[in-house]
Amino acid sequence: MLRQLKNESGYTLLITLGLILMLMLFMFSFTRIAVSQKVQVEKTDSTLVTTALAEMGAEYYKEQIIAEVNALINDTSIKMDGIKSTATSYSDLTSKMNQLANTQNTNLLTYYTSNQYFETDATPESLRTANTTFVENPGIGYRLIERSTLDITTSTLSLKVVGFTPQEVSEPIEIFLTLPKQLMWQGDKTETFTATYSFEEYADLPNEKTIVINDPNSIGSSTYTFQQEHFYHFVSGALFDKQQFGTDGSLVKVNVLSGAPLEFDKHFQVLDSNLITTTLTLDFNSNSQTEIVNSHIIANKITITKGDVVMENVDPNNNSQKVDFTNASTICLKPSDSVTADAYDKNVVNLKKVLLYSGDSKLVYKKSNGLYYYFTGSNEFVIPSPQLDNAIYKEACMITMTAQEQKTVFEAYDPNNMRLSDVIYQ
């Protein structure tokens, strides 16, 4: 029995050594796995860090581009407001807006193309550094490696950014920005504008209240009835040989343009109206009442005869020989090549005598010295300079009409949030 036990004691040692060897192998394997997992975790952590840096960089460059585009949008808005405040007409406004649109839209496209960037192996280190931002030292940050120009078809611009640490550089993060391809444009949108026209321009506009008379003989032999709030264009002039006075005959709240002389041979009354002609002749066979009240007349020549009294022979003390000229009415006698200087000067002298001035009414005329003057019945005054911009001259000699019209308007981006915003010029 004892001998048998002694023989088996060697196997126990072998088994013990085997178990120790197996434990050592297991421990070595576990250690190797643990070390590998640690390396893998460290690598994953580093990748997460560089990816996060790349995302941070993409956000930074996105906000930088939006800020720069918004600066261009704000500049456009300021310049558009400047044009709106100084434009003298819709055509002037449109012309200046078109010029601004060309300039600003070109600047925007230049901005996109001039900032295009693609990093290659040949890119200078100085350029790489210019597009690198360090978040933390040493060597932790992000770098722009690609920035496209704007794709006009999709209105998108792409960016590629990498994040880096001393140990690793991330895969590129790519983002796409939707940006404007133009800063201002004139589309199909329209708004109502109040446009100002000369009488000649207004006569050519389509308007149901414009009455065009081409044949001066079509007036007829009865009193001609002028409809209030209408515009009359006597292309070849007209002769009114019946009274234009009273409810049916007065020119009340009308506008009259004549391309040739107008002649009135009976009573004549103009109330709240405007009249532009070459020659205005008032030739009455009696000292009938004649009134110009709160109205404005522009002509190259005006002759007035009441009964047998021509303007040259008007008695200053006989008001029946004169024409009532009241309620801030104006007459502008404009020089013309068809009227000699001597005849023009005599016309001014005679009008001073024949008009019965009251209520701040004025006769405006031009003297041989080239200056415009106005006469109020007893006193003569020179119109202050600059004469053509003076309110007195413009009221008397620059009668205009206004009309509501649908006009296309320029549109632009809102400088605060880049949303589309209508920009209207009124």
Side-chain angles (χ1 to χ4, degrees):
M1 187 67 167
L2 182 60
R3 182 182 301 167
Q4 185 177 0
L5 291 171
K6 287 181 179 181
N7 291 335
E8 292 177 356
S9 62
Y11 290 108
T12 301
L13 180 60
L14 286 174
I15 291 170
T16 301
L17 290 174
L19 289 172
I20 292 171
L21 181 61
M22 290 178 64
L23 287 172
M24 290 179 66
L25 288 172
F26 281 129
M27 289 177 63
F28 178 76
S29 297
F30 287 146
T31 301
R32 185 175 179 180
I33 291 171
V35 170
S36 176
Q37 287 181 338
K38 179 183 177 184
V39 171
Q40 187 64 36
V41 168
E42 289 177 348
K43 181 175 178 61
T44 299
D45 288 344
S46 178
T47 300
L48 289 174
V49 169
T50 55
T51 301
L53 288 168
E55 291 173 348
M56 182 189 303
E59 185 68 21
Y60 168 79
Y61 289 115
K62 180 191 79 171
E63 292 300 323
Q64 182 185 61
I65 291 172
I66 290 175
E68 290 168 349
V69 171
N70 264 332
L72 291 172
I73 289 172
N74 188 58
D75 177 65
T76 301
S77 178
I78 292 171
K79 290 177 178 176
M80 290 175 79
D81 288 340
I83 290 175
K84 285 192 291 181
S85 65
T86 59
T88 57
S89 64
Y90 178 79
S91 59
D92 179 47
L93 177 75
T94 303
S95 174
K96 290 178 179 177
M97 284 293 181
N98 272 319
Q99 293 176 14
L100 179 64
N102 290 334
T103 300
Q104 296 301 102
N105 291 337
T106 299
N107 290 344
L108 179 66
L109 294 179
T110 300
Y111 164 77
Y112 289 137
T113 56
S114 62
N115 286 285
Q116 186 176 245
Y117 175 71
F118 295 94
E119 182 182 291
T120 66
D121 292 339
T123 301
E125 190 61 33
S126 60
L127 202 54
R128 290 174 184 258
T129 301
N131 288 285
T132 298
T133 300
F134 290 99
V135 176
E136 187 179 314
N137 286 322
I140 299 175
Y142 48 80
R143 186 173 76 253
L144 178 69
I145 63 170
E146 184 177 309
R147 172 176 169 171
S148 73
T149 188
L150 188 76
D151 185 336
I152 300 299
T153 58
T154 61
S155 294
T156 57
L157 180 150
S158 64
L159 298 172
K160 285 185 180 180
V161 183
V162 296
F164 58 84
T165 63
Q167 294 78 29
E168 185 177 354
V169 177
S170 74
E171 290 296 319
I173 293 291
E174 184 174 21
I175 63 172
F176 295 87
L177 304 180
T178 300
L179 296 167
K181 57 186 176 184
Q182 53 186 351
L183 293 171
M184 55 184 291
W185 59 95
Q186 194 170 25
D188 297 329
K189 184 175 178 60
T190 62
E191 291 293 335
T192 301
F193 283 81
T194 300
T196 301
Y197 297 94
S198 69
F199 266 44
E200 291 76 8
E201 292 170 333
Y202 190 85
D204 292 332
L205 296 178
N207 191 324
E208 61 182 11
K209 289 191 175 184
T210 295
I211 299 174
V212 180
I213 298 93
N214 291 293
D215 182 6
N217 297 317
S218 64
I219 299 302
S221 59
S222 60
T223 297
Y224 187 82
T225 301
F226 287 90
Q227 300 179 60
Q228 293 188 22
E229 310 295 343
H230 280 60
F231 185 96
Y232 291 84
H233 184 196
F234 297 99
V235 178
S236 302
L239 169 62
F240 302 89
D241 58 2
K242 299 296 179 181
Q243 75 167 22
Q244 295 299 145
F245 195 97
T247 304
D248 294 331
S250 294
L251 284 70
V252 181
K253 295 183 179 179
V254 297
N255 295 283
V256 178
L257 171 67
S258 179
L262 289 179
E263 182 174 342
F264 295 85
D265 288 349
K266 295 292 182 180
H267 307 302
F268 179 71
Q269 185 178 42
V270 184
L271 306 174
D272 303 321
S273 297
N274 300 302
L275 189 154
I276 299 179
T277 184
T278 55
T279 299
L280 176 63
T281 300
L282 306 180
D283 189 2
F284 309 140
N285 56 12
S286 67
N287 289 342
S288 55
Q289 186 176 2
T290 305
E291 292 181 347
I292 301 173
V293 182
N294 192 34
S295 297
H296 306 281
I297 298 174
I298 298 176
N300 306 126
K301 180 181 179 181
I302 298 176
T303 61
I304 301 174
T305 302
K306 298 187 74 175
D308 296 328
V309 181
V310 296
M311 291 194 301
E312 291 87 344
N313 300 325
V314 167
D315 182 355
N317 299 314
N318 188 349
N319 289 344
S320 67
Q321 298 178 0
K322 299 182 180 182
V323 173
D324 291 333
F325 188 48
T326 66
N327 290 57
S329 293
T330 63
I331 290 178
C332 177
L333 199 65
K334 280 194 169 183
S336 169
D337 292 338
S338 62
V339 180
T340 66
D342 183 58
Y344 178 86
D345 292 339
K346 288 180 180 179
N347 202 178
V348 172
V349 172
N350 292 329
L351 285 173
K352 288 181 179 181
K353 294 191 297 182
V354 79
L355 295 174
L356 190 59
Y357 298 82
S358 68
D360 200 31
S361 294
K362 300 178 181 68
L363 170 66
V364 177
Y365 48 90
K366 190 175 186 179
K367 285 192 171 184
S368 58
N369 61 6
L371 297 178
Y372 278 92
Y373 291 75
Y374 67 96
F375 183 72
T376 60
S378 57
N379 296 298
E380 180 182 75
F381 305 91
V382 64
I383 294 178
S385 296
Q387 291 197 316
L388 301 187
D389 291 328
N390 185 270
I392 295 174
Y393 176 85
K394 293 172 75 172
E395 179 187 27
C397 303
M398 296 178 64
I399 305 174
T400 57
M401 297 289 295
T402 59
Q404 298 291 316
E405 292 187 333
Q406 290 294 117
K407 298 286 190 180
T408 54
V409 297
F410 275 85
E411 300 172 87
Y413 284 93
D414 187 328
N416 296 315
N417 51 30
M418 290 178 65
R419 289 202 309 265
L420 276 176
S421 172
D422 297 335
V423 182
I424 301 171
Y425 316 103
Q426 295 196 57

